[in-house]
Amino acid sequence: MKFFNLFFLISLSFSIAVAQKNTAFVDPFIGTEGEGHTFPGASFPFGMVKLGPDCEGHSNSGYISNGKIEGFSHTHVSGTGGGAKYGNILVRPFIGKSTDRVSATAFSDEVAEAGYYATTLDQDKIRAEMTVTENAGIHQYTFPKSNQSKILIDAGHHLFFGDQWGEAQQFVDSEIEVIGNNAVAGYSTVRHGWNFGGAYTVYFYAELSKPFIGFTTYKSGKESNKKVQFASKEKTQACLSFQTKEGEQIQLRVGISFLSTARAKHNLKSSLGELNFEQVKANAFNQWENILSKINIETKSEAEKTVFYTSLYHSYLMPVCREDENPKWKSEVKNYDDFYALWDTYRTSHPLMTILTPNRQVEMINSLLDIYKHEGYLPDARSGNDNGRTQGGSTADIVIADAFVKGLKGIDYELALEAMIKNAEVSPGGDERKEGRGGLSDYNTLGYVSTDFERSGSRTIEYSLCDYSIATLAKGLGKNDLYQKYLHRASNWENLWDENYDSEGYKGFIMPRKSNGEWHSDFILVNREADGGDTIRFNEFTTGYWEAFLYESSSWEYSLAIPHDVKTLIKKCGGEEILEKRLDTFFEKDYFLVSNEPGFFTPFLYTYMGKHHRTVDVVKGILDQEYTTARNGIPGNDDSGAMGAWFVFNAMGFYPNAGQDIYLISSPKYPSTTIELGEGKTFTVTKDHPERTYVKSAKLNGKPLNRAFLYHKEIIDGGLLELSMSKKPTQWGAEQLPPSLPKTNL
């Protein structure tokens, strides 16, 4: 059809016009296949509305490449695992007499850009386009000639792809109302999902660019001519009828709210106003450009630019800003949701935002503290306005400590310390996966979590790091007694170190321990029915989930995941020479899970032993082999941008040790990278021979730099890091090693 050719010509012209913009190199399809679970639809930085396709048998993002589309809904997450969340208020254009013809359809001719998504629904040859603001979206449907053109609005829809681990969403309530001949309003209430959250309600108000000539409403599939299908425990829908010419476009403008339909209408009017589709699309593009232009890389490779800027783009899809959209309490604090989960993002995403968008990072931490004030605990994860699930420790502690040591202002750190201490001292009781620290009675009396509790190994390790974060903040606030107390607890991971356990000729591993102090050599894990229901005797290669000893990884990995106390880890492993060989075995035999966060920091352990070149070898291999422009070009779940942020940091040439003010230097992927810091300041990393891998020498602002790490202040004050490169490994960085945990006086 002619309008398709016109569409592609317009898209091509637009692409050429923005060829020099970083946003032009974003490919939202990267990560949509494999285990990436990224969301390809239209989105806004931190945007509440994520408008895109929901497919049959979908992943957590709602999308399946080459699947069949059920329709387009307004709320999604990106890059997550576990049970699905959201997928609320679905819209489906179609042609036919009744909704009996509405079935999932194949789709083709997809386009995805920052802030824009389009595809053709093959069943009826309807072109579907969409773009968004923070809290509203525009659907633009191009119909063929028909007197049976329809738009179905489904208030009862939500994502569901089987009761994975008992985490399926559950429909609660819905309502829909037809208003005049060009508007529809209503809501959908759903509960449960990944975090076993309480009920959340998504309200909407929608206006059409063309009056409909007829309508039908539905309750549980039963037709009615009622304009209102009142609140019920049944799914409600409205089907709107039109007569269309060939190539005629109908727009549906939708505001979303978590408060009321009136607020949804306000969001629609205030954010879209009189803007047309192309203006809204351009605004979304510009908002993304504001983020992505904060880093500029020098490379002639479009593929390299695509991987880099898509990774950066993914890092800013979540958490979600819901300003003035908190249904639980009124507050002057800007509300954020979908911390999904801090266990994933504290290592990379939040440190990246601290550099690029520090004001946003302050807002998010203040939102976490506001949740503590009103609900009693900082979340480790939160979605649908409810805390849960806590995968590891109380990792908001680390996010706060990271902000403190990096000098972020505008945060009540006294309140933050209070919240962190509650995590450390007061058991949440009841559902210990919801918030706080499970197994705390053991941890605070035995110095470790025993096998009486689930995830006792990973919890002990992560609580130790969280205690280090408390000690860091306490010291900074001049509270020496608290500092000494929690610094002592930061070594508790040692209480699960079985120095006699041997694997591959290396001694010393994190192992299960009973509450009576004995090593649990016969520890048995019985998997859930969802995981096959098999029985496993624990060893150093055993991985698991909620009921396991170690969450989502093995003892080979977790025994090296001690980023705050590397000096002691080296000693426990038998010294630098043995640990170096152990790391070599770890990477060479693929015991390393690049797809999972506990191993994010492990390549940098070499640097703590003066073996910077080995860190470079491992990191370069990951960057080159695991991240591509393919739809499966992410190594595992993107985890709310955590995987993307790992790439961004390492491609620039340095990586954070979260909760500390240092960054470990690796080897930049590009000849030059410049970070725009605001106020005219920039920080640039260069290397003199782009084809070379190893650092021979370095200068920071013209002065020799003999250490393979940077302090945060050295970055945010602006400057130039010049790396002189070598073809062969060097001893650079061995002269001054990165700092590790000091010991207490206790």
Side-chain angles (χ1 to χ4, degrees):
M1 294 182 180
K2 290 182 179 179
F3 73 88
F4 287 142
N5 294 330
L6 178 61
F7 169 81
F8 287 118
L9 285 173
I10 292 172
S11 296
L12 178 61
S13 299
F14 181 75
S15 297
I16 293 172
V18 298
Q20 300 305 310
K21 299 288 188 179
N22 293 341
T23 317
F25 297 101
V26 170
D27 181 358
F29 291 124
I30 293 177
T32 56
E33 293 183 2
E35 297 298 320
H37 295 174
T38 54
F39 173 68
S43 63
F44 211 76
F46 302 103
M48 185 170 78
V49 171
K50 289 181 172 57
L51 177 54
D54 290 349
C55 298
E56 279 186 334
H58 53 77
S59 72
N60 309 64
S61 69
Y63 179 82
I64 289 183
S65 186
N66 300 317
K68 290 188 175 182
I69 287 179
E70 298 173 324
F72 306 95
S73 69
H74 295 77
T75 53
H76 294 89
V77 295
S78 180
T80 62
K85 197 79 176 181
Y86 299 135
N88 308 106
I89 316 303
L90 183 100
V91 176
R92 170 65 193 278
F94 71 101
I95 294 173
K97 290 183 179 180
S98 72
T99 57
D100 291 343
R101 194 166 180 272
V102 180
S103 58
T105 174
F107 55 99
S108 56
D109 299 326
E110 282 186 288
V111 176
E113 299 170 354
Y116 174 78
Y117 176 84
T119 192
T120 298
L121 302 179
D122 291 348
Q123 176 177 291
D124 297 311
K125 303 303 179 186
I126 297 171
R127 186 68 179 171
E129 301 174 79
M130 49 214 66
T131 188
V132 294
T133 65
E134 274 192 320
N135 48 23
I138 303 181
H139 307 242
Q140 182 167 274
Y141 298 121
T142 305
F143 285 89
K145 181 179 180 180
S146 176
N147 59 5
Q148 295 181 351
S149 294
K150 304 284 198 306
I151 293 179
L152 176 70
I153 302 177
D154 187 348
H157 176 83
H158 60 77
L159 292 179
F160 181 92
F161 66 103
D163 195 13
Q164 186 173 8
W165 302 307
E167 295 175 350
Q169 291 194 106
Q170 299 169 354
F171 172 78
V172 176
D173 196 10
S174 73
E175 179 177 295
I176 204 159
E177 177 183 6
V178 177
I179 303 169
N181 63 355
N182 75 330
V184 180
Y187 69 82
S188 176
T189 302
V190 178
R191 66 183 180 94
H192 218 54
W194 171 80
N195 65 330
F196 287 94
Y200 66 90
T201 300
V202 179
Y203 300 88
F204 76 96
Y205 185 89
E207 291 183 344
L208 291 119
S209 61
K210 177 178 181 175
F212 45 85
I213 58 176
F215 73 90
T216 305
T217 58
Y218 297 83
K219 182 177 287 188
S220 292
K222 296 179 181 178
E223 293 188 22
S224 172
N225 60 1
K226 295 179 181 179
K227 280 206 164 188
V228 183
Q229 292 288 8
F230 287 105
S232 71
K233 295 180 180 179
E234 299 175 272
K235 295 184 178 182
T236 57
Q237 302 170 316
C239 188
L240 314 174
S241 302
F242 305 87
Q243 185 172 340
T244 57
K245 301 174 184 178
E246 181 70 26
E248 183 175 355
Q249 292 181 335
I250 298 177
Q251 289 184 1
L252 181 71
R253 301 159 73 89
V254 183
I256 293 294
S257 174
F258 285 79
L259 296 178
S260 65
T261 53
R263 181 71 189 185
K265 183 176 181 179
H266 167 81
N267 289 342
L268 170 66
K269 300 294 186 180
S270 63
S271 65
L272 293 180
E274 300 301 318
L275 298 175
N276 62 35
F277 185 91
E278 290 301 323
Q279 289 171 325
V280 174
K281 176 183 173 183
N283 178 58
F285 187 92
N286 289 335
Q287 291 298 320
W288 278 113
E289 186 63 27
N290 288 341
I291 298 291
L292 302 181
S293 63
K294 291 181 181 295
I295 305 177
N296 291 292
I297 62 172
E298 177 190 325
T299 176
K300 295 180 181 179
S301 168
E302 290 199 4
E304 287 187 346
K305 288 183 179 180
T306 298
V307 173
F308 183 86
Y309 288 110
T310 303
S311 296
L312 182 54
Y313 166 84
H314 284 152
S315 302
Y316 274 85
L317 289 175
M318 293 167 64
V320 168
C321 180
R322 293 182 184 160
E323 187 172 5
D324 301 323
E325 286 287 337
N326 188 341
K328 290 190 170 182
W329 63 83
K330 291 184 178 180
S331 175
E332 295 181 358
V333 175
K334 189 176 289 187
N335 181 45
Y336 282 79
D337 200 355
D338 293 335
F339 295 96
Y340 192 167
L342 291 175
W343 184 83
D344 296 302
T345 58
Y346 82 80
R347 298 168 174 89
T348 56
S349 304
H350 286 284
L352 183 62
M353 292 176 190
T354 295
I355 295 175
L356 301 183
T357 50
N359 291 340
R360 285 282 195 172
Q361 183 66 7
V362 169
E363 289 176 354
M364 286 184 280
I365 290 174
N366 284 332
S367 181
L368 294 173
L369 292 174
D370 202 44
I371 293 164
Y372 161 71
K373 286 173 63 177
H374 289 88
E375 295 192 350
Y377 280 94
L378 294 163
D380 178 62
R382 186 176 180 88
S383 192
N385 304 304
D386 203 6
N387 285 356
R389 296 175 128 186
T390 297
Q391 298 174 96
S394 47
T395 49
D397 302 341
I398 307 165
V399 175
I400 292 168
D402 194 72
F404 180 76
V405 298
K406 293 172 181 174
L408 292 191
K409 307 298 183 184
I411 296 168
D412 185 345
Y413 287 110
E414 292 283 353
L415 176 65
L417 183 61
E418 174 190 305
M420 294 159 74
I421 289 175
K422 182 172 182 182
N423 283 336
E425 301 296 341
V426 181
S427 174
D431 181 5
E432 292 193 336
R433 296 179 183 177
K434 183 177 177 62
E435 56 203 358
R437 299 188 187 183
L440 191 61
S441 57
D442 267 10
Y443 184 79
N444 286 352
T445 55
L446 303 175
Y448 62 92
V449 181
S450 78
T451 51
D452 291 346
F453 296 89
E454 63 183 17
R455 287 169 286 130
S456 57
S458 48
R459 278 173 162 172
T460 298
I461 292 169
E462 294 180 11
Y463 294 176
S464 299
L465 177 55
C466 292
D467 284 342
Y468 176 73
S469 298
I470 297 174
T472 298
L473 182 54
K475 182 179 181 180
L477 296 178
K479 302 178 187 298
N480 189 60
D481 288 347
L482 288 174
Y483 165 66
Q484 292 291 337
K485 175 181 179 179
Y486 289 102
L487 189 62
H488 179 68
R489 290 190 185 183
S491 297
N492 277 349
W493 63 273
E494 296 180 49
N495 295 324
L496 288 186
W497 187 269
D498 185 348
E499 61 185 17
N500 294 316
Y501 195 94
D502 184 287
S503 179
E504 304 279 1
Y506 302 103
K507 283 193 172 184
F509 285 83
I510 296 294
M511 285 288 132
R513 197 171 184 182
K514 299 178 182 179
S515 57
N516 64 4
E518 296 177 359
W519 294 107
H520 208 148
S521 59
D522 59 346
F523 181 67
I524 301 295
L525 171 66
V526 179
N527 274 337
R528 297 158 298 189
E529 184 176 343
D531 292 327
D534 52 340
T535 299
I536 300 173
R537 184 181 297 276
F538 181 84
N539 63 39
E540 71 274 24
F541 297 108
T542 305
T543 63
Y545 294 95
W546 297 101
E547 295 87 354
F549 172 65
L550 296 169
Y551 184 74
E552 289 193 352
S553 199
S554 71
S555 184
W556 256 95
E557 188 136 62
Y558 267 108
S559 297
L560 300 171
I562 316 293
H564 65 294
D565 199 0
V566 178
K567 188 175 181 179
T568 302
L569 176 64
I570 294 170
K571 182 180 178 181
K572 288 283 187 182
C573 288
E576 292 184 359
E577 183 178 349
I578 294 176
L579 178 55
E580 182 182 358
K581 292 179 180 178
R582 179 167 173 167
L583 287 170
D584 291 344
T585 300
F586 177 66
F587 291 113
E588 289 168 4
K589 292 199 172 184
D590 291 329
Y591 299 157
F592 172 57
L593 297 179
V594 64
S595 61
N596 207 23
E597 283 74 14
F600 270 14
F601 190 76
T602 310
F604 296 92
L605 294 180
Y606 286 112
T607 300
Y608 281 78
M609 299 182 291
K611 304 291 183 180
H612 174 261
H613 62 281
R614 291 295 294 122
T615 291
V616 168
D617 287 335
V618 173
V619 171
K620 185 178 186 303
I622 297 168
L623 295 179
D624 292 347
Q625 298 168 24
E626 301 291 343
Y627 290 84
T628 73
T629 58
R631 289 197 173 202
N632 63 350
I634 295 175
N637 293 162
D638 191 52
D639 285 329
S640 304
M643 203 69 63
W646 191 95
F647 180 91
V648 169
F649 268 121
N650 284 294
M652 291 193 295
F654 56 92
Y655 182 82
N657 190 343
Q660 301 180 38
D661 67 340
I662 67 167
Y663 302 80
L664 288 306
I665 297 171
S666 53
S667 178
K669 191 171 178 64
Y670 318 110
S672 177
T673 300
T674 297
I675 303 173
E676 302 289 340
L677 297 165
E679 300 179 351
K681 294 187 296 184
T682 62
F683 183 76
T684 299
V685 181
T686 66
K687 59 179 183 178
D688 58 359
H689 293 281
E691 75 284 0
R692 296 180 182 178
T693 300
Y694 304 103
V695 179
K696 179 172 58 178
S697 63
K699 289 182 180 180
L700 180 63
N701 300 326
K703 297 181 180 180
L705 183 72
N706 297 319
R707 49 181 161 87
F709 63 94
L710 297 166
Y711 291 102
H712 181 71
K713 193 173 189 301
E714 293 172 333
I715 295 175
I716 63 165
D717 281 351
L720 173 63
L721 174 63
E722 299 171 278
L723 302 178
S724 179
M725 308 303 291
S726 168
K727 294 180 181 179
K728 297 180 180 180
T730 73
Q731 293 300 308
W732 181 78
E735 185 174 323
Q736 182 182 347
L737 300 179
S740 189
L741 180 81
K743 291 303 177 182
T744 72
N745 298 322
L746 297 179

